[in-house]
Amino acid sequence: MKLQSTSNTQIETPCIRNCCLDEKDICIGCGRHVDEIVQWRSYSDAQRKVLMSLAKNRKQQRV
């Protein structure tokens, strides 16, 4: 997972190219819901930070 948050750079996608959705439509690779993946480009950096935290928590719960 790569995070960049400089004034000229947006937070990059947490995608690790291991896309596979579980029964709740959560990607087992990055931890995002399919709707979050589709809408990623439209989110602000603040929204992306929140989603990164949610995705991290989802992945930790999976383990």
Side-chain angles (χ1 to χ4, degrees):
M1 220 180 289
K2 188 174 179 183
L3 262 181
Q4 293 184 356
S5 59
T6 64
S7 59
N8 296 329
T9 308
Q10 291 184 339
I11 295 173
E12 293 184 17
T13 177
C15 181
I16 60 169
R17 308 291 190 264
N18 186 18
C19 304
C20 184
L21 300 177
D22 68 9
E23 66 281 351
K24 295 179 184 177
D25 288 335
I26 305 294
C27 177
I28 63 169
C30 70
R32 293 179 294 168
H33 186 272
V34 67
D35 293 336
E36 296 164 348
I37 295 168
V38 171
Q39 296 298 318
W40 183 260
R41 291 180 151 230
S42 68
Y43 293 139
S44 68
D45 276 353
Q47 290 170 311
R48 289 177 180 192
K49 286 178 185 179
V50 170
L51 289 175
M52 294 289 283
S53 179
L54 290 172
K56 180 179 177 182
N57 289 338
R58 290 176 188 142
K59 286 180 70 172
Q60 288 174 343
Q61 289 175 1
R62 179 179 300 283
V63 176

